[in-house]
Amino acid sequence: MKITYRHADATQAPERLLLHGANSRGVMRSGIADTIRSKWPTTYMIYHKVWQYVVGEGGEHLPLGEVIWTVERRDGSNDSPIYHWRFRTQPDTIIIANCITQKDYGRDSRRVYVDYEAVALCFAKVNALAIIHNIPVIAMPRVGCGLAHGSWERVEPLIREFITVPDVVVY
């Protein structure tokens, strides 16, 4: 498995599968999550509805390590996510993996919000989907290393351990 680094906007990635870290509280208002929310509002809507359901059933938050999947048109032009797995006939779509990698969020620079076990679990789930659907490349930002204050020195080894597809592109 090869990791390639690109200095670019991950939401413009040409890859078919984009994963990003999200919090468990139903909020996507900062970092790449906010950019995804702006470009693909229905992805946020689905994430938020799942959160509302979990809280409505007595849960405190979304379970760490879960992945909420949507398939969207790359340009954000559809009114609702596309719920089918015909990727080969839909070159204008992108799979978005909303990975629940942090319980909370905030601006305390002394606090690490990312949960590395959740990151590992999400990487394994995204990798499994990529293998099943023959997707050879996974795109991602530096998951958990921006506003969640994680360490790339801890995240990059998780990529190598839990992702087995041929290529990962980190934006």
Side-chain angles (χ1 to χ4, degrees):
M1 188 267 305
K2 178 180 83 174
I3 299 175
T4 302
Y5 292 89
R6 290 193 185 136
H7 183 71
D9 177 356
T11 65
Q12 301 296 320
E15 291 79 23
R16 302 299 312 266
L17 175 55
L18 171 63
L19 77 80
H20 76 100
N23 66 69
S24 69
R25 302 292 183 180
V27 180
M28 290 174 74
R29 277 296 194 200
S30 297
I32 190 167
D34 189 43
T35 304
I36 288 170
R37 177 183 173 149
S38 295
K39 182 169 184 172
W40 296 295
T42 50
T43 288
Y44 167 73
M45 180 189 74
I46 297 301
Y47 157 81
H48 191 73
K49 282 187 183 269
V50 171
W51 173 80
Q52 285 177 318
Y53 176 79
V54 168
V55 171
E57 291 293 308
E60 185 180 326
H61 53 79
L62 292 167
L64 293 174
E66 287 298 323
V67 180
I68 301 169
W69 305 93
T70 56
V71 181
E72 296 271 11
R73 294 203 192 290
R74 286 187 177 280
D75 65 3
S77 64
N78 54 307
D79 293 331
S80 62
I82 301 164
Y83 292 107
H84 57 70
W85 300 103
R86 293 180 8 197
F87 306 127
R88 286 180 204 90
T89 61
Q90 297 285 326
D92 64 333
T93 60
I94 185 169
I95 306 160
I96 301 170
N98 298 284
C99 298
I100 310 304
T101 58
Q102 59 190 81
K103 182 177 179 183
D104 296 309
Y105 60 93
R107 298 290 183 183
D108 184 349
S109 62
R110 297 165 300 183
R111 182 173 173 199
V112 174
Y113 293 96
V114 69
D115 182 299
Y116 295 109
E117 289 179 23
V119 171
L121 187 54
C122 289
F123 283 175
K125 289 177 179 182
V126 172
N127 186 67
L129 179 121
I131 290 169
I132 289 167
H133 294 287
N134 197 28
I135 299 170
V137 184
I138 298 172
M140 68 176 80
R142 290 182 184 243
V143 175
C145 297
L147 298 173
H149 306 130
S151 163
W152 189 246
E153 288 74 30
R154 291 198 55 193
V155 173
E156 185 183 45
L158 297 175
I159 293 171
R160 296 187 187 285
E161 183 175 354
F162 292 97
I163 296 180
T164 61
V165 298
D167 293 298
V168 172
V169 179
V170 178
Y171 287 86

